[in-house]
Each structure stands twice: as structure tokens, then as C-alpha cells.
Amino acid sequence: MAEDSTPGRAPLIWGLVFVVAMFGTGFGARFAHLSGFWTMVVMLPPMLLLIPMIRSAERSGNLSGCTSPALKRYNRRGLIWAFSYVAALFFAISVNDALKPEGPLLWLIAVLPALPIVYFVWALYRYLVEETDEYLKMRYVTHALFGLGLLLVVATVWGFLESFKVVPHVESWMTVPVWAIGLGVAQIWQRVRGS
Amino acid sequence: MRNRLKVLRAERDWSQGDLAERLQVSRQSVNAIETGKYDPSLPLAFRIADLFGLPIEEIFLKD
């Protein structure tokens, strides 16, 4: 058995393919002036890349001895929230386009895509509660704090730029993607350093 | 903090995976402790000491 951790590059490559596909499709949809409904339709295939990405990360974790039952549960929950989010957003946009709801129904439709994100935050909490491996837990907390730091910096700088009318307004639901990018960058940085 | 984990493990002909299984932690954790990248908590240090049948201070050494 190998003594040192030798994680493969496959998860990084899958992650890169996923990010490029998501952003590429998103920009493509905007460039083609697709409606909300069709944007969601074309975003589904790149979302499916999450499955091989997470499987690849788990295989790499098994090879490098960097895995735990809690981490596997966290990854499963990650898939659940990601696909629930797409489904909820798809449903909300479709209903909004078709019915043009007002009042309480509009509130309900508007909050629907946020519910999977609430589940995601719960999954984060559960991971930290369920993880019994203190080193893996410490690593995750470090990565999460890096993501939080990035979010605070980006949100503050962007907020002031926005106040001075230098940049356009950005919706506040962007907080989670920015945080997740920070988390991913911290994880990649740790892999690159080989620690 | 330095430690003698690698030597103690080698004396018993255990791989990092064997030690990780006995301690019920990931192999990555054993690797991080052995290479000095991570200092274990007191409860884990006691578990390691119990496993090797040694006092903590004979496994973990001050720099």
C-alpha cells in the first residue's frame, strides 16, 4: 500500500470541465438571448457533470486515504441539493413565466429556489457534526473559512464599487456560489501543495 | 511538534492504513500527523499512546 497520499488529477479535471461547462453554457444562453425556461433546459447537461465529478473525488479520496462515512454522506447530500436547486429554479421560472403570479404565490415561487440552499447549509452543519476524523474536519473548516474570507472581501469591494456606480448590481444569491468557489480554490490549493 | 509515530509503526510492521484502521481515522490523518503537518488533539494523542502502550511524551516530542 502506498504510504504517501497520491491523489489523482481526475477530480480537478472534472471540476474544471464542470465550471467551464456551467459558465460557458450560461454565457452562451445569455448571448443567444434564451428565455429563462430554455436557459434552464440547456443548463441541465452541464449540471449532470456533477455526478462523475463527485464520483471521481470519492475514488481519489479512497486512493489517498482521505475519506470518511461523513464525507460520503456530505457528497450525496451535495448531489441532492444541487439537483433540487436546478429543479426548483426550473419550476419557479416556468410558473412565473406561465402564470405571472402575484401576492403570496409570487412569494412562494420566489423563495422556492432558496430552499435547496437552506438544505445545503444544513448539510454543511451535519457534516461538521458527523465527521469524527478531526484532521478531515479541521481541513474542511479551514477551506470553508477561506471561502468565507473570499466572500467577505468580494462582497465588500463589490459593494463599494456598486455604491460609487462603477459596477452593475449583483443579486445577493451570488453569495453561495462565491463562497463555494473559495471552498474549491482552497481544496485545489491544498491538493497542489500535496498536504 | 515532532513524533516517533513512523518508527513505532515500522517496528510493528504496520502500514499507515493499518494504523489508521486501528485508530479509526483516515489514512490521510495518520500521514498528516507523521509528517508533522498536523498535531493531534489530546484525546487522539491518548488513543495513539494507548495503542502503542507508551506514555504520550514518549511518542510526541517538543521541538
Side-chain angles (χ1 to χ4, degrees), chain A residues 76-180:
Chain A
R76 295 288 174 272
R77 288 168 183 157
L79 281 179
I80 291 172
W81 86 255
F83 284 102
S84 303
Y85 174 71
V86 172
L89 194 58
F90 187 85
F91 181 77
I93 290 174
S94 303
V95 170
N96 191 52
D97 286 351
L99 303 179
K100 306 286 182 207
E102 291 180 358
L105 183 60
L106 181 59
W107 277 72
L108 190 68
I109 289 300
V111 84
L112 199 61
L115 297 181
I117 304 297
V118 174
Y119 173 78
F120 164 67
V121 175
W122 174 83
L124 286 178
Y125 163 74
R126 285 307 306 168
Y127 173 66
L128 293 177
V129 169
E130 292 169 8
E131 183 57 84
T132 54
D133 189 309
E134 61 183 49
Y135 173 66
L136 295 184
K137 188 187 287 194
M138 182 276 295
R139 270 184 17 162
Y140 192 88
V141 169
T142 305
H143 297 157
L145 282 176
F146 181 87
L148 179 63
L150 179 74
L151 172 63
L152 293 175
V153 169
V154 169
T156 304
V157 172
W158 193 276
F160 279 111
L161 289 173
E162 200 178 311
S163 297
F164 284 86
K165 316 281 186 214
V166 180
V167 294
H169 175 66
V170 170
E171 304 287 351
S172 60
W173 50 256
M174 276 298 290
T175 51
V176 171
V178 171
W179 176 84

